[in-house]
Amino acid sequence: MSPRTAPRPQADETRARIVDAALEALRANGIAGVSARTIARHGGFNQALIFYHFGSVEGLLVAVARRESERRSALYAPALREVTSLLELVGVARRLHDEEFSRGSVAALTQMLAGAVGSEELARGIWDALEPWTTLVRETIERLLADTPYGEALSPDDLTAAVTALFLGIELLTGLDPNGRERTPFSTMEAAAAGIDALLRPQGAATDG
Amino acid sequence: MSPRTAPRPQADETRARIVDAALEALRANGIAGVSARTIARHGGFNQALIFYHFGSVEGLLVAVARRESERRSALYAPALREVTSLLELVGVARRLHDEEFSRGSVAALTQMLAGAVGSEELARGIWDALEPWTTLVRETIERLLADTPYGEALSPDDLTAAVTALFLGIELLTGLDPNGRERTPFSTMEAAAAGIDALLRPQGAATDG
């Protein structure tokens, strides 16, 4: 994305500062309020720096998506790799929601997803940026299905898409609901997950979980 | 929202034309590209009309959300009222997705949801506009749970939120995925729904479905 292929340390710092400012602008104003001007104002730098380092506002937003996706997924990877039931998967999603909602990270992502409608570059860039997440979720789902007789009937790719969609949809709605910050559907989803877990296990083991 | 409490037929027509133009602008440019100027250009009218009839661009977007939500939910209400299984519910969602995706209605809604981050008025207005849908979905879920022993453990409100979130998330992701238009997770969701349906039914009836 950058015109420089081997950026010097100082350029790295500048780029990080611009990415921070873009994330702040997204959190504060949503995608509709994000422009080179608002980002530059948030970071206190000249907007020309955005075009020099990222080529375009879209290029910058893709860099934001990539960095945040890598950081957050690295943070949750250990927990996801230990998941052995649907209930635990919902538990990680709940923790991710609780911890990230206040930070505004996921809100920034849903904002970028919405912004991608008008821009092919943004759509492809964000789709690629989501990859560390979708890989982690797919691995978890494959592990959960491995011990059940349902692995054949249910496509892990489709289940990964459904789980990702559910999580993003909850973030989108939680931001909207006047009571959303206090109220999420996670506790009922945990109850439903526990029920499905019991049914996914071989008959004899159903009461162990 | 309008300064007129009893609009004349001609004002109704003008308002409908402005709502159409806003929907077109949303479909074409996403929320990030929507302004009084772009909406007026899509409709070929003076942008002052937006402020005269809707008070603000936010007021106009709320009117778009309300009209589309009412029209679409009325169209799908008969099918939803006949749903007697989770599989059938997913089937209606799939039909809604297939039919509405090409129209761009749901895309416009997810755009507005994202735009609501920066605006309390838009957030509350769109939340209220979704009501015909959430009522229909909640009624359907209550009906599905009524014949099972799970009605106590699972909150219909939470399940309604989860179903709505899942659908909106799928729309958000489908718009992004380079192969999204051809590929959706609905067939796997139907397989999973059929499995859960069989388990929700009283033991003896499990093979009837």
Side-chain angles (χ1 to χ4, degrees), chain B residues 80-173:
Chain B
L80 274 172
R81 294 213 177 93
E82 280 181 15
V83 161
T84 60
S85 69
L86 201 55
L87 175 59
E88 286 169 14
L89 179 58
V90 177
V92 175
R94 176 184 221 156
R95 215 188 92 201
L96 179 64
H97 170 86
D98 288 346
E99 291 173 1
E100 302 300 315
F101 194 87
S102 52
R103 292 188 83 251
S105 289
V106 191
L109 177 65
T110 56
Q111 286 299 301
M112 282 190 276
L113 287 168
V117 166
S119 160
E120 195 101 2
E121 178 187 355
L122 202 51
R124 188 164 293 272
I126 294 175
W127 187 253
D128 291 345
L130 283 178
E131 228 240 304
W133 277 114
T134 47
T135 302
L136 272 174
V137 173
R138 191 184 302 104
E139 283 169 4
T140 307
I141 286 172
E142 281 170 349
R143 211 167 53 244
L144 293 183
L145 285 177
D147 300 329
T148 76
Y150 304 98
E152 299 285 303
L154 306 173
S155 143
D157 276 349
D158 282 2
L159 290 177
T160 302
V163 165
T164 311
L166 178 56
F167 187 77
L168 291 173
I170 290 173
E171 298 309 307
L172 203 60
L173 283 180

Side-chain angles (χ1 to χ4, degrees), chain B:
Chain B
M1 208 55 60
S2 160
R4 307 243 170 256
T5 47
R8 295 150 300 159
Q10 209 194 327
D12 277 354
E13 240 173 68
T14 307
R15 289 168 61 91
R17 195 174 142 211
I18 298 171
V19 166
D20 286 339
L23 189 57
E24 263 179 50
L26 265 173
R27 283 174 187 157
N29 312 321
I31 190 75
V34 159
S35 65
R37 196 170 54 81
T38 56
I39 294 168
R41 203 172 51 212
H42 269 276
F45 49 74
N46 191 301
Q47 51 178 290
L49 277 179
I50 293 172
F51 300 98
Y52 176 77
H53 284 281
F54 298 94
S56 64
V57 173
E58 282 82 9
L60 168 55
L61 291 177
V62 169
V64 174
R66 200 177 298 145
R67 192 191 70 178
E68 287 301 295
S69 179
E70 275 165 14
R71 279 191 184 174
R72 305 283 120 214
S73 60
L75 196 62
Y76 288 90
L80 274 172
R81 294 213 177 93
E82 280 181 15
V83 161
T84 60
S85 69
L86 201 55
L87 175 59
E88 286 169 14
L89 179 58
V90 177
V92 175
R94 176 184 221 156
R95 215 188 92 201
L96 179 64
H97 170 86
D98 288 346
E99 291 173 1
E100 302 300 315
F101 194 87
S102 52
R103 292 188 83 251
S105 289
V106 191
L109 177 65
T110 56
Q111 286 299 301
M112 282 190 276
L113 287 168
V117 166
S119 160
E120 195 101 2
E121 178 187 355
L122 202 51
R124 188 164 293 272
I126 294 175
W127 187 253
D128 291 345
L130 283 178
E131 228 240 304
W133 277 114
T134 47
T135 302
L136 272 174
V137 173
R138 191 184 302 104
E139 283 169 4
T140 307
I141 286 172
E142 281 170 349
R143 211 167 53 244
L144 293 183
L145 285 177
D147 300 329
T148 76
Y150 304 98
E152 299 285 303
L154 306 173
S155 143
D157 276 349
D158 282 2
L159 290 177
T160 302
V163 165
T164 311
L166 178 56
F167 187 77
L168 291 173
I170 290 173
E171 298 309 307
L172 203 60
L173 283 180
T174 308
L176 197 69
D177 181 355
N179 307 312
R181 274 151 208 274
E182 293 84 49
R183 184 162 176 74
T184 66
F186 284 108
S187 57
T188 282
M189 283 164 57
E190 283 179 343
I196 296 172
D197 277 333
L199 301 161
L200 282 176
R201 293 215 179 95
Q203 228 39 357
T207 47
D208 296 354

